[in-house]
Amino acid sequence: MDRLVNTIRPYPWGSTTALPALMGTAPDGSPQAELWMGAHPGAPSRVARGGRLLGLDRVIERDPQGELGDAVVRRFGPRLPFLVKLLAADAPLSLQVHPDPERAAAGYERENDLGIPLDAPHRTYRDPQHKPEMIVALTPFEGLCGFRPPHESAELLDALRMDWSAPYVRTLRSAPEERALREVFSAFLSLSPDRLAEVGRALASAARRPGPLREELAVYDRLARVCPGDPGVPAALLVRVVRLAPGEALFLGAGVPHAYLRGLGVEVMAASDNVLRCGLTTKHVDVPELLRVVRFSALPTPVVRPVREGDGEEVYPAPVDDFRLSRLVRAAPDRAQVLPGSRPQILVCTGGAIRLTGSGGEVALGAGGSAYVPAGEEVTVSGEGTVFRVTTAPGNDN
């Protein structure tokens, strides 16, 4: 078991205060967007081995069976298949989707055959993996997730009072769901600069008018102010606004459009860089490939709530085996809980004072602290506070 030394990524959309407030450190005025925990080569965590700090990716590379266990290596290869983050958003992230495993593998091979460098700005597929994600809110959290039923988007468009949008309103109200979403989403990604500017003006006006849609329209008005003239703003009108209370989660499967807007959360994902952006960004947008990946169907209420299992562990259900996310909320400091060690784990404390005890010693964690536990090591958790546990799905044990 190792205490992790982690890297904070200073993306412009990050909060300057949320992570420092959680970890009890002084803000330095710069955005602190994501704290990465794992073995992703972009910012691998470091662990103390042999008297020096080594990247967790290098540690796993030297002994994948010993660190990950045979079952995980057979299923995912010699790599940690998940990445954990503390994410602190103070401005919108890009509106985006992720590919399924088949599309990711095919796209990666195709771009390799075309000779597109992995670090090229116009590269879409940077590895052959899919990228399902889940985020659990630590504070009130706001995001966009999944298409609205088309008639709801028609109501929003109607409220903007733009004459040229009337055909799109009719399509959303009368065409079959998949066709309506595909046609209008595609058209909005190709709007002229003049019409994009008009969308921004219409949102500013509509967000000031009283009415039942005012609160929803205010969210899109903020997007238009942060990203003026961006085609992701009208496209986002088709995507539902989701507000999470602390402890609630979102699962983002393949092809589901989403964007985080503001709030602090624990995020876990398959360890992949495959992102297809729809808008709210200055980065590359590959519209033809995007339209092949997006799933044009309305998403039922996407909020995920934990299910209590075993000895007080609350599991957030997800239909993937790359990760399993759970939470332990400990109110009795003297009562210990034992976590089985058949699979590799990352444990993250988000509040209180937690002590982890394993065969190799003890690690004390405060808020923002984390530890890596290799396969085969059982861990006892004591203390008072909240711990998030990330491992792979149990089916990989066989």
Side-chain angles (χ1 to χ4, degrees):
M1 181 169 55
D2 298 275
R3 181 191 306 278
L4 292 177
V5 178
N6 302 309
T7 298
I8 291 178
R9 308 305 295 266
Y11 303 131
W13 49 261
S15 169
T16 60
T17 58
L19 283 178
L22 177 75
M23 298 186 290
T25 59
D28 62 8
S30 64
Q32 299 186 29
E34 294 179 346
L35 180 75
W36 285 28
M37 293 159 280
H40 190 286
S45 300
R46 291 167 291 160
V47 298
R49 296 288 176 95
R52 60 195 183 107
L53 287 176
L54 294 177
L56 184 57
D57 55 341
R58 291 186 60 196
V59 170
I60 291 172
E61 185 180 285
R62 291 178 176 182
D63 183 13
Q65 270 77 19
E67 298 293 336
L68 306 176
D70 289 340
V72 170
V73 172
R74 283 197 303 271
R75 171 64 182 87
F76 299 103
R79 63 185 186 92
L80 189 67
F82 55 80
L83 173 64
V84 189
K85 302 178 182 180
L86 290 176
L87 181 147
D90 202 34
L93 284 68
S94 61
L95 183 65
Q96 59 187 254
V97 297
H98 303 301
D100 62 23
E102 295 73 24
R103 177 68 65 179
Y108 179 72
E109 182 178 357
R110 183 181 67 254
E111 291 187 329
N112 282 348
D113 291 342
L114 292 171
I116 303 174
L118 285 176
D119 59 354
H122 61 289
R123 174 111 190 188
T124 299
Y125 294 99
R126 301 183 186 277
D127 56 65
Q129 315 298 334
H130 70 160
K131 194 187 180 188
E133 299 178 356
M134 177 173 276
I135 190 159
V136 179
L138 297 179
T139 65
F141 196 94
E142 188 175 71
L144 305 173
C145 181
F147 285 115
R148 298 172 176 273
H151 72 272
E152 293 184 9
S153 295
E155 294 299 316
L156 289 176
L157 275 179
D158 246 356
L160 297 187
R161 302 176 182 175
M162 300 180 299
D163 291 342
W164 58 265
S165 69
Y168 301 122
V169 172
R170 288 195 295 271
T171 297
L172 289 167
R173 284 180 170 154
S174 61
E177 180 178 277
E178 181 178 355
R179 178 186 144 201
L181 292 172
R182 181 182 292 276
E183 287 187 6
V184 178
F185 190 77
S186 304
F188 281 4
L189 290 176
S190 304
L191 289 178
S192 69
D194 287 347
R195 287 195 168 172
L196 290 172
E198 186 177 348
V199 171
R201 292 191 297 269
L203 281 168
S205 177
R208 292 193 298 267
R209 290 195 295 268
L213 298 177
R214 183 177 182 179
E215 186 177 357
E216 293 286 278
L217 289 167
V219 174
Y220 299 106
D221 179 41
R222 289 199 303 272
L223 292 182
R225 293 175 188 275
V226 175
C227 305
D230 191 302
V233 174
L237 288 166
L238 304 180
V239 183
R240 68 168 73 238
V241 176
V242 179
R243 296 176 179 88
L244 301 179
E248 294 181 329
L250 290 176
F251 173 76
L252 296 318
V256 175
H258 62 278
Y260 302 145
L261 303 182
R262 54 186 176 182
L264 175 66
V266 175
E267 185 182 34
V268 60
M269 62 188 64
S272 168
D273 286 325
N274 286 327
V275 176
L276 290 94
R277 295 175 177 85
C278 314
L280 310 182
T281 182
T282 58
K283 295 183 178 179
H284 175 59
V285 177
D286 181 348
V287 173
E289 183 65 13
L290 171 70
L291 296 178
R292 285 189 282 268
V293 170
V294 173
R295 293 184 177 175
F296 290 99
S297 59
L299 186 69
T301 303
V303 176
V304 178
R305 295 178 177 85
V307 177
R308 193 173 181 87
E309 291 187 8
D311 187 18
E313 188 175 16
E314 299 173 312
V315 178
Y316 289 88
V320 295
D321 59 359
D322 307 75
F323 59 79
R324 174 186 183 271
L325 175 63
S326 62
R327 179 180 68 170
L328 289 80
V329 180
R330 297 186 45 78
D334 297 330
R335 181 178 175 275
Q337 292 170 274
V338 177
L339 304 179
S342 58
R343 309 184 303 280
Q345 307 177 61
I346 288 180
L347 303 173
V348 186
C349 177
T350 58
I354 296 295
R355 183 171 297 278
L356 308 176
T357 305
S359 58
E362 294 186 344
V363 173
L365 300 179
S370 57
Y372 161 73
V373 185
E377 183 170 350
E378 187 175 87
V379 177
T380 300
V381 183
S382 57
E384 188 172 1
T386 300
V387 180
F388 284 85
R389 179 192 186 206
V390 184
T391 182
T392 57
N396 296 317
D397 294 346
N398 300 320

